[in-house]
Amino acid sequence: MTARLSPRLAGIVAALPLEPHLRVLEIGCGPGAAARAVAERLTTGHILAIDRSRAAIDRLIVSSGDLIASGWLSARCVAVEDFVVEEDEEVFDLVFATRVGALDGRHPEAGRVALRRIAVATRPQARLFVDGGDPLRKLPIPRRS
């Protein structure tokens, strides 16, 4: 079990509409506390945790060996503005981000790029949640008509 998830992150994870089979993308995962909590709720699903910080991803990998070995969790060092689904990956059903400036309105241009990247990386019915609601708010994923 995940040790000591902060009340803020526990509330965010609890608010996510998780199902055991979903493919989840966490943007701005930091050292991976929320990603581990999500991974522990999956059975046939998977969570990919991304962060632009190499140090954060290294900490996640060191502290998540069993979940990575199980196939429920993987991590990648990449900014959301540069994120692409790799050839051997499936697209995602659910995306969430906490304290990510590109998605919380602090960096609007980066946000437009990030939303385009998210649109390409997700199924048509995918949902995107960011912090700033109670505790989350849903953002629309722009789709081309």
Side-chain angles (χ1 to χ4, degrees):
M1 267 326 226
T2 299
R4 295 189 304 145
L5 193 59
S6 73
R8 179 183 66 86
L9 287 180
I12 288 168
V13 171
L16 289 170
L18 292 172
E19 296 176 37
H21 65 278
L22 292 179
R23 288 190 48 77
V24 179
L25 174 64
E26 182 185 5
I27 299 167
C29 64
R36 284 188 296 278
V38 168
E40 289 173 350
R41 294 179 180 203
L42 303 176
T43 55
T44 58
H46 181 82
I47 180 167
L48 171 61
I50 67 169
D51 200 290
R52 66 177 65 240
S53 166
R54 176 83 262 165
I57 292 299
D58 289 345
R59 286 178 58 200
L60 182 153
I61 290 168
V62 166
S63 62
S64 307
D66 56 337
L67 292 169
I68 292 170
S70 73
W72 289 317
L73 172 64
S74 59
R76 188 176 315 152
C77 183
V78 62
V80 64
E81 303 93 319
D82 299 320
F83 178 73
V84 293
V85 175
E86 293 184 347
E87 265 187 52
D88 61 342
E89 285 180 320
E90 293 180 46
V91 293
F92 297 90
D93 304 296
L94 179 67
V95 181
F96 75 101
T98 55
R99 295 183 178 167
V100 174
L103 295 172
D104 66 12
R106 289 179 285 158
H107 304 289
E109 181 54 37
R112 286 187 280 282
V113 173
L115 287 171
R116 286 193 299 268
R117 296 293 182 148
I118 291 167
V120 171
T122 55
R123 298 185 198 288
Q125 69 277 17
R127 294 169 287 176
L128 167 62
F129 296 91
V130 298
D131 58 334
D134 188 22
L136 295 172
R137 61 187 169 104
K138 186 176 179 182
L139 291 183
I141 300 172
R143 303 290 180 186
R144 293 189 183 225
S145 303

